[in-house]
Amino acid sequence: GNRRADAGAEGRRQVRPGSRGGGPGDRAGPARTAGGVGGLHAGARMRTEAPGLARVRSLINAADHGKAAPIGRLLGARILEADAGAVRIQFTVKDDFMHPGGAVQGGIISAYTDMCMALAAHTLFEDGQYLSTSSLTTNFLAPVTHGPVVGEGRVLRKGRSVVFLEATLRDAGGRACAHATSVASIRHAR
């Protein structure tokens, strides 16, 4: 079917009932409406925020960093913002992450961006859902020589079983250091 999007009174995107999604050029970002999840979840299916968003938001300024995943602690991740389909995370740049040329090793940069994308996806998840990365492409734009760095992850499109994601990593001066895209499967805990 054809997608027809109308701007709602509050400026959020609404999808007419029965529509099934757009073509490859449809890159509308997540809606930032209070109290609901917009974008693909707008219109008749709109409801309160997903449990995943509440879980990710609970990690912002959490006094107990023991709630963070071990990889998050290793990378020195601190969630700055979380919204439906989008996150901003600050990462520590440790001396142990540097290669002999004086910049952060590419695998660590990929881990930073992967975490941003995964947490962006998790903001849209229901209880019992988790992410399994199927493909990850990282483009290195500039060396990361000191920190902290900030990554922004965003959901491009979420279906029933697959999610398409992107992330950008910036240094303290705002310079883009890496851009990544990912395709991931939505799994269900057993």
Side-chain angles (χ1 to χ4, degrees):
N2 290 335
R3 170 182 295 232
R4 293 191 175 192
D6 298 310
E10 299 81 29
R12 72 176 176 261
R13 193 176 101 197
Q14 293 183 349
V15 178
R16 291 187 182 171
S19 66
R20 296 195 41 99
D26 181 15
R27 291 183 45 115
R32 297 184 183 268
T33 58
V37 177
L40 297 174
H41 302 284
R45 296 182 294 167
M46 183 176 251
R47 59 176 179 73
T48 60
E49 73 182 32
L53 178 56
R55 279 192 302 276
V56 172
R57 283 186 173 160
S58 75
L59 298 174
I60 298 174
N61 298 323
D64 177 16
H65 291 287
K67 291 172 79 174
I71 187 66
R73 289 192 302 269
L74 174 68
L75 297 176
R78 186 169 66 93
I79 300 170
L80 302 174
E81 296 178 41
D83 204 349
V87 297
R88 283 186 67 235
I89 304 172
Q90 180 177 297
F91 296 97
T92 302
V93 173
K94 300 177 182 178
D95 289 340
D96 291 344
F97 296 167
M98 303 297 223
H99 62 57
V104 175
Q105 194 270 344
I108 299 294
I109 300 293
S110 294
Y112 291 153
T113 59
D114 189 44
M115 179 171 284
C116 292
M117 292 183 285
L119 286 177
H122 275 275
T123 65
L124 301 178
F125 284 5
E126 300 297 326
D127 288 330
Q129 291 183 317
Y130 67 95
L131 189 76
S132 177
T133 302
S134 302
S135 71
L136 171 65
T137 301
T138 305
N139 295 294
F140 304 99
L141 308 175
V144 173
T145 56
H146 61 281
V149 292
V150 174
E152 297 177 1
R154 181 170 94 95
V155 175
L156 298 175
R157 178 164 305 205
K158 177 184 175 285
R160 285 189 298 255
S161 61
V162 160
V163 62
F164 297 87
L165 307 152
E166 76 173 349
T168 302
L169 187 70
R170 298 182 184 279
D171 66 14
R175 175 182 66 157
C177 297
H179 180 263
T181 57
S182 179
V183 178
S185 298
I186 300 170
R187 306 286 186 184
H188 300 275
R190 293 184 180 179

